[in-house]
């Protein structure tokens, strides 16, 4: 238990944090000239509701090994706390939400002040803490924790944030994995963005968390309230508080002491002791008492955190708070985008003892001496180890990834073979790869890998089929040394666990190379979580099969059209769609390296920003293709990584170039063969990555605009010798816009074939015909844009 001195300094720090965060927002809104007139909404009141909880955590409850996701709108409070620790600068606070200033929502990549998890899209940061604790357990189970203590993975959750479905998906998954060391602190201010929340929600939350095996700690009545309840009549007051509707409580909080008195006396007047309890307090004391909810009571919070540290069970703290606590807009239902007026701010500044011109001074207006506060801050447990982010050495990648030389296979099979070969090897890389899939492990071809490397669980679980000697292709045994994390069907969880695994080097100091598999169309289901994972700069590989309409008989529900565009547009994600397994092996080898890179110089050859590294998306297919029998030369491998190579180089008088991506390779090859007699010098371009081709092209243009006149991208070099009048046909089993930009590179007339509409069931042949991405479709497009004599193999269809 904290002593009185400790508490009093903490209280002062909490007031200071509230002041600084409110001033930060006020400064950004009223004082900094804002050309676009953008007002800041959603910060002042939301921040204030967490001022006490965050102060209790950062100034006392946290340990350096803990990792925290702070509710997005509490960012000013977070930054203020870090400012007091000397980890945030005044310049960045003065420039809050401005160009290169402190971010609106805590950002681990954009902010300088030790943010553990980015937040912004509500719900995702919450789930992130749960999966981070799963990863911490994984690291521990594999014997990599060394002497590092286990941290608590903590999320500050808005009560309205709890509406986000991904939180419930995570809860269920966490229960399956026996989640530990996770604290979710619900900021129960009973307000969302628009309104006051439903009555009795806390009871649903409580039942829900207990049902999933969590401890629930309800922090409702602060210590002042608890003292008052012990007075004569106190029980009556308690009953009144407990039955007061949320709306009314909020409204009275907003109105203040006199309103509290009137309402309480209307309800509880002439009732003996409780009336005296109310009457003996001044308006100010009454307002203080009534706003002394658990989430604003330092002693209750410190005590609760201390107790929770005694065990490793997951804990949900339901902390009653007041949105806008301590500010004139406290409790008002419209306060989400509310701001203190300059007059209110002026009055509040005076009340805080802050002199004009000293608003940013850390110790301004404090009763305790600067020296004592500084000493206190220096002794805070959280800051005892300096920077808390770890780094981890790179895991070496083998020179070559191998696979059996089957004459025909699909890229999905190839992926399974490559992982199987890796699983058999004793290469260091193999021990650092973790696979995970949302109930599609077998159907995405991870079976062989899992058979060799096993499923991960904190506690071993035998495969009953195996034990009973019932023949089965798959060995489904769980153990702490397993390397596959099996998830239930929830793609949100897949991307969030990838995000946690892919940050392991930074969070826990141990490098993990995660691979997640899923069906390509379900990337949309988890797209926001995928974006979130990339935004945090987590490093992972996603392997998506089946894709496109190529899974023909499965029908429209499972076909993906727009995912190649998602892959191109997603920052931090390099996307590939190889046709052949030897290409895939080159790409995967490169990917394992790319996932571990940071810093360095841009590549002058491709103009790709490969130095920074990132995550990788492989859009693969279940279609079996004849494999080219060829030697993988260094040049060919370079081209595959850069995004394209000539399968057949066009001659000097080329009339047509066909550029294809992925599973439609046989159609493109066939079309080129069929046109050869009627069009001159046809070229065939194999595109392994529309994303990287496009990115390199954009970067090279930008470089030239900045004066680097010799900058040339890979696609520019490839197309440089194609004559200007040559027509370009692009073809992909995906949205045609993926490759349509290629016509702009050198100004070639272009027709882009692809899929724009939901598909039918049918054979691959049926559907390729339906969408015009078969050889005939390519030929008819060629005849239109590269006029000449009729192409004799073009059939009337
Ligand atoms: C996925 C997503 N949808 C919508 C929003 C916009 N938004 C930001 S905060 C918020 C709700 C705020 O309520 P709560 O979580 O209770 O926090 P409080 O403002 O009460 O502190 C909403 C809808 C968002 N950030 N992310
Ligand atoms: Mg709320």
């Amino acid at each position: 238990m904290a002593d009185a001195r400790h508490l009093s300094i903490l209280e002062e720090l909490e007031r200071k944090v509230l002041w600084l965060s409110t001033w930060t927002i006020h400064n950004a809104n009223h004082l900094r000239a804002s050309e676009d007139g953008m007002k800041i909404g959603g910060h002042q009141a939301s921040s204030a509701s967490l001022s006490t909880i965050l102060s209790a955590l950062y100034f006392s409850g946290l340990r350096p090994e803990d990792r925290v996701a702070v509710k997005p709108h509490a960012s000013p409070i977070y930054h203020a706390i870090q400012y007091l620790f000397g980890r945030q600068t005044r310049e960045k606070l003065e420039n809050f939400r401005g160009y290169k200033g402190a971010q609106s929502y805590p950002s681990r990549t954009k902010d300088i002040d030790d943010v553990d998890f980015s937040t912004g899209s509500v719900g995702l940061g919450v789930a992130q803490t749960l999966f981070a604790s799963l990863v911490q357990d994984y690291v521990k189970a594999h014997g990599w924790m060394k002497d590092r203590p286990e941290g608590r993975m903590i999320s500050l959750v808005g009560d309205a944030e709890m509406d986000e479905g991904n939180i419930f998906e995570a809860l269920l998954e966490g229960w399956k994995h026996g989640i530990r060391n996770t604290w979710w602190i619900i900021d129960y201010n009973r307000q969302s963005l628009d309104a006051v929340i439903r009555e009795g929600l806390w009871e649903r939350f409580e039942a829900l968390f207990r049902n999933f095996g969590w401890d629930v700690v309800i922090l409702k009545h602060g210590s002042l309230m608890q003292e008052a309840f012990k007075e004569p009549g106190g029980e009556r007051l308690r009953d009144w508080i407990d039955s007061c509707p949320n709306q009314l409580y909020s409204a009275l909080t907003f109105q203040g002491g006199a309103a509290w008195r009137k309402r309480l006396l209307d309800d509880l007047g002439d009732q003996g002791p409780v009336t005296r309890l109310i009457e003996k307090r001044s308006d100010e004391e009454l307002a203080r008492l009534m706003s002394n909810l658990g989430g604003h009571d330092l002693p209750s919070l410190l005590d609760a955190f201390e107790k929770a540290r005694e065990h490793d069970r997951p804990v949900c703290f339901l902390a009653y708070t007041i949105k806008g606590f301590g500010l004139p807009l406290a409790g008002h239902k419209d306060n989400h985008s509310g701001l203190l007026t300059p007059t209110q701010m002026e009055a509040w500044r005076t009340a805080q003892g802050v002199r004009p011109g000293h608003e940013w001074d850390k110790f301004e207006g404090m009763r305790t001496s600067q020296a004592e506060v500084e000493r206190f801050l220096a002794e805070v447990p959280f800051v005892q180890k300096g920077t808390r982010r770890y780094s981890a050495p790179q895991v070496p990648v083998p020179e070559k990834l191998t696979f059996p030389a089957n004459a025909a296979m699909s890229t999905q099979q190839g992926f399974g073979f490559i992982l199987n070969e890796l699983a058999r090897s004793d290469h260091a890389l193999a021990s650092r790869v973790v696979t995970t899939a949302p109930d599609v492990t077998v159907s995405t071809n991870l079976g062989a890998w899992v058979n060799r490397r096993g499923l991960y669980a904190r506690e071993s679980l035998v495969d009953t089929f195996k034990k009973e000697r019932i023949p089965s292709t798959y060995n489904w045994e769980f153990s702490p040394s397993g390397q596959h994390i099996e998830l239930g069907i929830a793609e949100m969880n897949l991307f969030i666990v990838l995000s946690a695994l892919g940050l392991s080097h930074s969070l826990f100091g141990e490098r993990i190379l995660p691979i997640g598999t899923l069906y390509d169309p379900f990337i949309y289901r988890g797209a926001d979580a995928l974006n979130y994972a990339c935004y945090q700069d987590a490093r992972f590989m996603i392997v998506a099969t089946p894709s496109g309409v190529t899974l023909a008989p499965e029908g429209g529900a499972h076909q993906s059209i727009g995912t190649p565009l998602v892959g191109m547009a997603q920052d931090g994600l390099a996307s590939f769609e190889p046709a052949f397994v030897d290409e895939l092996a080159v790409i995967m080898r490169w990917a394992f390296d790319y996932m571990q890179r940071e810093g360095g110089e841009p590549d002058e050859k491709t103009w790709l920003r490969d130095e920074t590294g990132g995550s990788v998306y492989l859009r693969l297919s279940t279609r079996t293709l004849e494999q080219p029998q060829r030697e993988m030369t260094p040049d060919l491998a370079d081209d595959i990584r850069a995004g394209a190579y000539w399968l057949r180089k066009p001659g000097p008088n080329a009339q047509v170039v066909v550029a294809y991506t992925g599973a439609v390779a046989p159609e493109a090859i066939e079309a080129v063969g069929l046109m050869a007699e009627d069009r001159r010098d046809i070229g065939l371009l194999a595109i392994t990555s529309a994303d990287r081709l496009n990115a390199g092209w954009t970067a090279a243009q930008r470089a030239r605009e900045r004066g680097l006149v010799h900058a040339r991208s890979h696609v520019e070099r490839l197309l440089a010798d194609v004559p200007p009048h040559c027509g370009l046909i692009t073809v992909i089993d995906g949205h045609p816009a993926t490759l349509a930009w290629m016509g702009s590179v050198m100004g070639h007339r272009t027709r882009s074939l692809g899929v724009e509409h939901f598909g039918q069931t049918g054979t691959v042949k049926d559907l390729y015909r339906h969408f015009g991405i078969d050889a005939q479709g390519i030929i008819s497009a060629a005849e239109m844009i590269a006029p000449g004599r009729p192409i004799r193999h073009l059939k009337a269809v």
Side-chain angles (χ1 to χ4, degrees):
M1 200 52 228
D3 65 23
R5 187 80 204 122
H6 188 88
L7 261 179
S8 118
I9 298 180
L10 261 179
E11 248 163 52
E12 284 210 83
L13 283 169
E14 191 235 336
R15 301 303 299 169
K16 182 49 71 187
V17 163
L18 183 60
W19 161 261
L20 283 169
S21 79
T22 311
W23 179 252
T24 300
I25 301 160
H26 182 78
N27 174 71
N29 262 299
H30 292 288
L31 306 182
R32 200 173 70 215
S34 159
E35 307 97 67
D36 51 15
M38 273 277 286
K39 286 281 181 205
I40 293 172
H43 280 98
Q44 231 160 38
S46 284
S47 272
S49 95
L50 271 186
S51 57
T52 329
I53 298 176
L54 281 182
S55 299
L57 281 172
Y58 280 94
F59 295 129
S60 180
L62 292 182
R63 298 294 171 270
E65 59 273 19
D66 296 338
R67 299 287 179 265
V68 188
V70 175
K71 179 185 84 167
H73 281 121
S75 136
I77 288 278
Y78 177 81
H79 292 314
I81 290 172
Q82 302 306 321
Y83 175 64
L84 290 176
F85 283 140
R87 292 176 173 184
Q88 180 56 283
T89 66
R90 173 172 166 179
E91 292 68 37
K92 293 220 183 252
L93 289 187
E94 284 193 84
N95 197 15
F96 177 60
R97 287 176 60 123
Y99 183 58
K100 298 199 172 173
Q103 289 265 324
S104 309
Y105 309 118
S107 169
R108 74 186 309 280
T109 52
K110 306 283 178 204
D111 278 318
I112 56 165
D113 52 353
D114 206 18
V115 174
D116 295 322
F117 300 114
S118 303
T119 55
S121 177
V122 297
L124 301 181
V126 184
Q128 179 71 101
T129 56
L130 182 147
F131 287 110
S133 96
L134 175 71
V135 173
Q136 180 174 253
D137 279 344
Y138 184 96
V139 168
K140 185 172 169 145
H142 286 77
W144 301 330
M145 273 304 255
K146 300 177 191 131
D147 55 351
R148 285 188 293 262
E150 282 176 18
R152 299 295 190 280
M153 305 295 123
I154 302 171
S155 174
L156 285 311
V157 193
D159 44 6
E161 187 168 13
M162 284 295 296
D163 286 329
E164 284 288 2
N166 83 278
I167 294 180
F168 299 87
E169 296 175 12
L171 257 182
L172 181 53
E173 199 60 54
W175 170 77
K176 294 184 206 163
H177 289 274
I179 211 72
R180 315 182 296 140
N181 291 321
T182 308
W183 294 359
W184 286 357
I185 305 169
I186 301 182
D187 176 15
Y188 199 57
N189 60 22
R190 287 147 292 153
Q191 282 188 258
S192 64
L193 201 153
D194 286 335
V196 176
I197 64 167
R198 293 280 181 285
E199 293 303 326
L201 191 59
W202 68 272
E203 288 168 295
R204 320 291 137 220
F205 288 161
E206 186 185 10
L208 181 91
F209 279 94
R210 288 208 195 283
N211 197 19
F212 282 113
W214 289 49
D215 282 17
V216 178
V217 176
I218 296 179
L219 296 160
K220 179 164 185 180
H221 308 114
S223 49
L224 280 182
M225 280 190 184
Q226 286 172 29
E227 287 303 312
F229 299 157
K230 288 183 202 150
E231 292 175 32
E235 279 304 313
R236 297 295 312 277
L237 179 69
R238 183 193 183 115
D239 292 345
W240 187 93
I241 290 174
D242 286 352
S243 58
C244 179
N246 291 339
Q247 287 247 22
L248 180 62
Y249 211 96
S250 297
L252 290 170
T253 304
F254 176 71
Q255 291 168 307
W260 276 118
R261 178 180 310 285
K262 179 165 185 318
R263 182 69 200 215
L264 286 170
L265 290 177
D266 281 353
D267 289 358
L268 299 173
D270 302 328
Q271 295 186 20
V274 65
T275 315
R276 270 194 301 284
L277 190 160
I278 297 161
E279 279 177 341
K280 80 176 191 203
R281 286 170 163 83
S282 69
D283 283 358
E284 200 184 312
E285 283 167 342
L286 201 54
R288 221 173 133 222
L289 174 67
M290 298 305 282
S291 61
N292 178 240
L293 297 174
H296 292 298
D297 189 63
L298 284 167
S300 308
L301 289 166
L302 297 185
D303 192 42
F305 297 146
E306 208 174 288
K307 286 210 177 86
R309 228 173 242 293
E310 290 165 7
H311 60 82
D312 65 2
R313 293 187 299 278
V315 188
C316 168
F317 298 89
L318 229 149
Y320 279 70
T321 55
I322 291 168
K323 191 157 166 174
F325 177 73
L327 304 177
L329 38 73
H332 197 294
K333 71 179 169 59
D334 303 342
N335 66 11
H336 189 80
S337 42
L339 287 169
L340 266 61
T341 62
T343 319
Q344 285 174 323
M345 198 61 199
E346 197 48 34
W348 197 51
R349 188 178 57 68
T350 313
Q352 301 297 304
V354 174
R355 291 164 296 164
H358 292 265
E359 292 86 355
W360 295 109
D361 294 3
K362 293 182 183 173
F363 308 98
E364 178 76 2
M366 286 193 176
R367 293 185 307 272
T368 312
S369 74
Q370 172 168 344
E372 195 174 348
V373 179
E374 279 181 337
R375 200 173 329 118
F376 181 98
L377 286 173
E379 285 168 8
V380 163
F382 181 69
V383 297
Q384 293 314 306
K385 288 195 185 156
T387 37
R388 298 157 49 256
R389 273 193 199 179
Y390 294 108
S391 60
Q394 297 204 348
V395 179
V397 176
E399 276 305 303
K400 212 173 156 210
L401 296 179
T402 52
F403 57 93
N406 294 9
M409 35 184 177
S410 70
T411 44
Q412 193 209 51
Q413 272 176 312
F415 166 71
F417 287 139
I418 291 169
L419 276 193
N420 184 37
E421 293 291 321
L422 189 63
R424 280 167 39 160
S425 79
D426 56 2
H427 200 281
L429 177 71
S431 66
R432 293 287 169 156
V433 167
V434 179
T435 56
T436 178
D439 202 24
V440 292
T441 299
V442 173
S443 51
T444 56
N445 237 317
L446 281 175
W449 163 267
V450 175
N451 277 347
R452 289 188 190 279
R453 293 278 163 168
L455 291 123
Y456 165 75
R458 262 196 314 120
E459 271 149 37
S460 298
L461 198 72
V462 294
D463 182 343
T464 311
F465 276 71
K466 190 176 161 198
K467 210 171 123 211
E468 297 292 327
R469 298 178 188 283
I470 303 172
S472 158
T473 322
Y474 302 105
N475 177 6
W476 213 247
E477 237 163 28
F478 291 84
S479 80
S481 62
Q483 284 181 248
H484 174 76
I485 299 177
E486 179 69 8
L487 299 173
I489 327 166
E491 285 73 13
M492 275 280 174
N493 282 342
L494 171 75
F495 289 118
I496 302 175
V497 81
L498 287 174
S499 170
L501 287 161
L503 286 175
S504 173
H505 54 284
S506 168
L507 296 174
F508 308 116
E510 290 296 327
R511 178 97 47 191
I512 290 175
L513 293 153
I515 302 178
T517 63
L518 79 167
Y519 293 179
D520 195 54
F522 305 132
I523 281 182
Y524 292 122
R525 174 72 75 107
D528 192 27
L530 167 62
N531 180 57
Y532 174 72
C534 292
Y535 178 60
Q536 303 217 82
D537 201 25
R539 301 303 177 85
F540 52 88
M541 187 191 296
I542 51 177
V543 179
T545 43
S547 61
V549 299
T550 303
L551 51 74
E554 291 262 327
H558 277 27
Q559 295 163 354
S560 60
I561 298 173
T563 45
L565 294 171
V566 172
M568 275 177 97
Q570 181 60 56
D571 192 16
L573 190 70
S575 312
F576 293 85
E577 186 166 353
F580 304 113
V581 176
D582 61 351
E583 298 167 356
L584 176 66
V586 167
I587 293 164
M588 282 180 69
R589 193 217 158 266
W590 172 86
F592 285 128
D593 186 61
Y594 182 70
M595 285 156 69
Q596 306 189 59
R597 290 183 201 171
E598 45 198 323
E601 293 293 317
D603 180 345
E604 292 225 4
K605 207 167 144 211
T606 55
W607 287 94
L608 286 166
R609 292 171 45 81
D610 279 1
E611 80 283 12
T612 50
S615 293
V616 176
Y617 160 32
L618 309 180
R619 188 176 189 250
L620 303 187
S621 177
T622 40
R623 187 182 188 199
T624 303
L625 302 189
E626 296 293 325
Q627 297 296 309
Q629 303 303 317
R630 59 185 170 189
E631 189 197 343
M632 183 55 63
T633 62
D635 283 350
L636 178 56
D638 273 353
D639 285 357
I640 288 168
R641 287 185 288 261
Y645 62 94
W646 288 114
L647 253 183
R648 172 172 160 165
K649 210 166 158 34
N653 300 309
Q655 289 179 296
V656 180
V657 161
V658 177
Y660 76 88
T661 287
V664 293
E667 282 64 30
I669 294 167
E670 184 191 349
V672 167
L674 294 175
M675 290 190 283
E677 291 169 44
D678 300 309
R679 291 293 180 279
R680 279 193 305 277
D681 287 358
I682 302 180
L684 180 60
L685 189 65
I687 297 178
T688 46
S689 173
D691 179 24
R692 288 181 43 89
L693 272 191
N694 181 268
W697 176 49
T698 307
Q701 291 175 92
R702 199 180 300 119
R704 289 197 291 272
E705 286 151 16
R706 289 176 186 167
L708 290 160
V709 290
H710 299 298
R712 284 290 172 280
S713 63
H714 187 56
V715 70
E716 288 168 319
R717 264 198 306 273
L718 286 167
L719 296 181
D721 297 332
V722 177
H725 296 294
C726 179
L728 180 63
I729 315 286
T730 68
V731 55
I732 181 172
D733 176 5
H735 197 275
T738 311
L739 298 172
W741 55 273
M742 287 183 67
S744 301
V745 176
M746 292 289 169
H748 292 110
R749 192 163 173 215
T750 300
R751 166 80 166 101
S752 292
L753 305 175
V755 178
E756 295 147 279
H757 303 291
F758 294 118
Q760 308 288 330
T761 46
T763 62
V764 170
K765 194 159 169 268
D766 292 336
L767 291 196
Y768 280 13
R769 182 77 293 274
H770 180 85
F771 292 106
I773 54 174
D774 59 354
Q776 288 297 314
I778 296 168
I779 298 172
S780 27
E783 197 171 63
M784 283 304 290
I785 72 161
R789 62 172 172 215
I791 300 178
R792 63 198 84 166
H793 289 289
L794 180 60
K795 298 188 197 113
V797 279

